[in-house]
């Protein structure tokens, strides 16, 4: 009862920001992302009759506490679906995501865990079902089932049965690239989970966010189909700014940005003024991801590396969906 799966992380161009159900992880709005080849997690799950509890080893270190609880709670869900409630597992993961640099690894982590655990326990699920299961580990992870561009359709049902990701176009449809800019910044103080809850509960700007998402989504999907980089980049950057604006209207207000974050945003805008089409997006932390086209790779990398406060720049292409090894 052993299986290994690999999943890539994804970067949202239309952000998932806010839940309508905390426990089932049901979102307030649809979101859309690009799966990234450069950041992935490989996970092996082994269920064994003789085990009396789960264990989780990440990058050769035993994990305990909150991170372990999230994994074991997620395995409970899979055990329940398989009707094998007293079967425990060893989970062994390797993260090719620089977690220490504050990059979200929960997307690739939960997608790889869901794929490996369902297969190891003998659950026969299709990609849509796998996306629904993955969603309950971490929302954004449900988009990592697919490569290239994918959309998480929020659904309407209270049981979550229609809330899962769908593929838009595969990775080889369009060679869009992403530079992940690692900043010399402190670890994030407010997790995405806590930040989005506070925003939904208190932000005077939250309704404005919700009102604007469906137009962004419709327009960006056309841009992707047409391979219109400027259109896609403009919508993604504006959508990111709107998401971050909601945090300033929360009570108490907060922001994920640091001075280095603003510096990179300005560096990107200045590059654009010189005619290079580049756009940024930012998740629930200080680091910035920059979208660019292959012909500008060298210039983008050099410019970002020279900017103040930059520790590293990691380049990535579009990546594939779940793979079983
Ligand atoms: C800003 O998927 O980490 O990255 O569902 O609570 O686990 P949970 O949240 P998570 O939130 C990601 C938020 C985001 C935007 C996005 O990826 O769409």
């Amino acid at each position: 009862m052993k299986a290994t799966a690999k999943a890539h992380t994804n970067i949202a161009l239309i952000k998932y920001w806010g839940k309508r159900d905390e426990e089932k992880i049901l979102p307030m709005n649809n979101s859309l992302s690009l799966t990234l080849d450069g950041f992935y997690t490989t996970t092996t799950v082994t269920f064994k009759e003789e085990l009396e509890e789960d264990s989780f080893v990440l990058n050769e270190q035993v994990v305990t506490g909150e991170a372990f609880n999230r994994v074991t709670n997620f395995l409970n869900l899979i055990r329940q679906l398989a009707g094998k409630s007293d079967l425990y597992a060893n989970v062994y993961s390797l993260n090719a995501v620089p977690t220490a640099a504050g990059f979200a690894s929960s997307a690739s982590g939960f997608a790889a865990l869901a794929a490996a655990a369902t297969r190891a326990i003998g659950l026969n699920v299709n990609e849509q079902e796998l996306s629904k299961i993955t969603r309950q580990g971490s929302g954004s992870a449900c988009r990592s089932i697919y490569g290239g561009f994918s959309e998480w359709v929020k659904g309407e049902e209270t049981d979550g049965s229609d809330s899962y990701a769908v593929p838009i176009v595969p990775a080889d449809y369009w060679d869009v690239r992403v530079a992940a800019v690692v900043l010399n910044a402190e670890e994030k103080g407010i997790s995405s989970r806590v930040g989005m809850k506070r925003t939904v509960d208190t932000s005077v700007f939250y309704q404005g966010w919700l009102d604007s998402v469906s137009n962004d989504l419709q327009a960006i999907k056309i841009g992707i189909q047409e391979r219109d980089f400027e259109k896609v980049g403009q919508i993604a950057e504006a959508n990111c700014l709107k998401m971050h604006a909601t945090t300033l209207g929360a009570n108490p207000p907060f922001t994920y940005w640091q001075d280095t974050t603003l510096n990179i945003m300005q560096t990107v805008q200045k590059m654009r003024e010189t005619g290079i089409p580049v756009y940024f997006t930012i998740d629930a932390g200080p680091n910035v991801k920059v979208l660019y086209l292959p012909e500008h790779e060298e210039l983008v990398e050099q410019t970002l590396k020279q900017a103040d406060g930059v520790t590293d720049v990691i380049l990535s292409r579009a990546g594939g969906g779940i793979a079983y090894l």
Side-chain angles (χ1 to χ4, degrees):
M1 301 194 90
K2 175 174 171 179
T4 301
K6 176 180 173 185
H8 297 99
T9 191
N10 67 73
I11 178 72
L13 304 185
I14 303 297
K15 304 294 183 190
Y16 146 50
W17 196 239
K19 296 181 181 70
R20 65 178 199 275
D21 185 318
E22 303 280 320
E23 203 192 323
K24 297 192 188 82
I25 309 198
L26 297 175
M28 292 288 240
N29 62 275
N30 288 24
S31 55
L32 182 147
S33 62
L34 176 62
T35 300
L36 298 180
D37 176 61
F39 305 92
Y40 55 89
T41 304
T42 308
T43 295
T44 300
V45 176
T46 315
F47 285 99
K48 284 189 198 156
E49 302 283 355
E50 60 266 34
L51 292 177
E52 286 177 1
E53 57 184 12
D54 296 320
S55 71
F56 175 34
V57 175
L58 173 63
N59 295 341
E60 312 297 346
Q61 301 223 317
V62 176
V63 179
T64 54
E66 188 47 39
F68 172 74
N69 291 342
R70 269 183 85 174
V71 166
T72 197
N73 286 339
F74 186 67
L75 289 174
N76 286 342
L77 179 86
I78 288 171
R79 281 187 272 266
Q80 199 187 343
L81 287 169
K84 294 176 180 167
S85 60
D86 49 3
L87 191 59
Y88 295 98
N90 292 325
V91 176
Y92 178 84
S93 282
L94 290 173
N95 242 349
V97 182
T99 15
F103 275 87
S105 55
S106 67
S108 56
F110 276 100
L113 178 63
T118 48
R119 182 155 291 199
I121 210 165
L123 269 177
N124 201 356
V125 290
N126 62 25
E127 285 181 324
Q128 192 184 95
E129 286 160 340
L130 184 61
S131 179
K132 263 190 256 178
I133 294 170
T134 304
R135 187 199 81 223
Q136 294 168 78
S138 182
S140 57
C142 81
R143 299 181 306 236
S144 278
I145 301 307
Y146 299 102
F149 291 90
S150 63
E151 178 182 358
W152 176 8
V153 180
K154 70 183 180 76
E156 302 296 335
E157 303 294 337
T158 49
D159 66 357
S161 56
D162 56 353
S163 185
Y164 49 79
V166 295
I168 305 266
V169 293
D172 61 5
Y173 182 81
W174 191 17
D175 189 4
V176 172
R177 301 197 184 168
V178 174
V181 186
V182 184
L183 295 171
N184 184 8
E186 283 165 29
E187 273 284 297
K188 68 176 174 185
I190 299 177
S191 69
S192 45
R193 194 160 282 194
V194 170
M196 70 173 83
K197 178 164 170 46
R198 189 190 296 174
T199 306
V200 172
D201 290 347
T202 67
S203 178
V204 294
F205 300 150
Y206 191 67
Q207 191 57 44
W209 159 256
L210 284 183
D211 291 344
S212 75
V213 174
S214 56
N215 276 347
D216 285 356
L217 193 73
Q218 238 179 331
I220 206 168
K221 285 205 273 193
I222 295 168
I224 292 167
Q225 291 298 342
E226 293 173 346
R227 300 186 182 87
D228 183 339
F229 185 71
E230 301 202 359
K231 183 171 186 167
V232 168
Q234 276 167 14
I235 297 166
E237 192 174 293
N239 185 270
C240 153
L241 290 171
K242 279 183 278 195
M243 176 208 122
H244 284 271
T246 65
T247 69
L248 299 178
N251 184 15
F254 65 106
T255 182
Y256 290 107
W257 299 351
Q258 301 203 2
D259 53 352
T260 45
T261 314
L262 281 163
N263 183 38
I264 300 305
M265 290 157 72
Q266 280 159 0
T267 303
V268 168
Q269 280 160 348
K270 276 186 201 139
M271 282 183 85
R272 235 172 19 232
E273 281 160 21
T274 69
I276 310 295
V278 279
Y279 298 89
F280 63 77
T281 187
I282 305 160
D283 281 338
N287 292 315
V288 183
K289 279 93 181 174
V290 178
L291 299 166
Y292 64 94
L293 290 170
E295 56 266 37
H296 301 122
E297 182 153 279
E298 226 180 284
L299 184 71
V300 169
E301 185 181 19
Q302 286 316 317
T303 310
L304 292 172
K305 276 193 169 155
Q306 281 161 16
D308 277 349
V310 174
T311 317
D312 203 0
V313 176
I314 306 163
L315 308 178
S316 181
R317 296 172 182 236
I322 287 284
Y324 295 92
L325 307 178

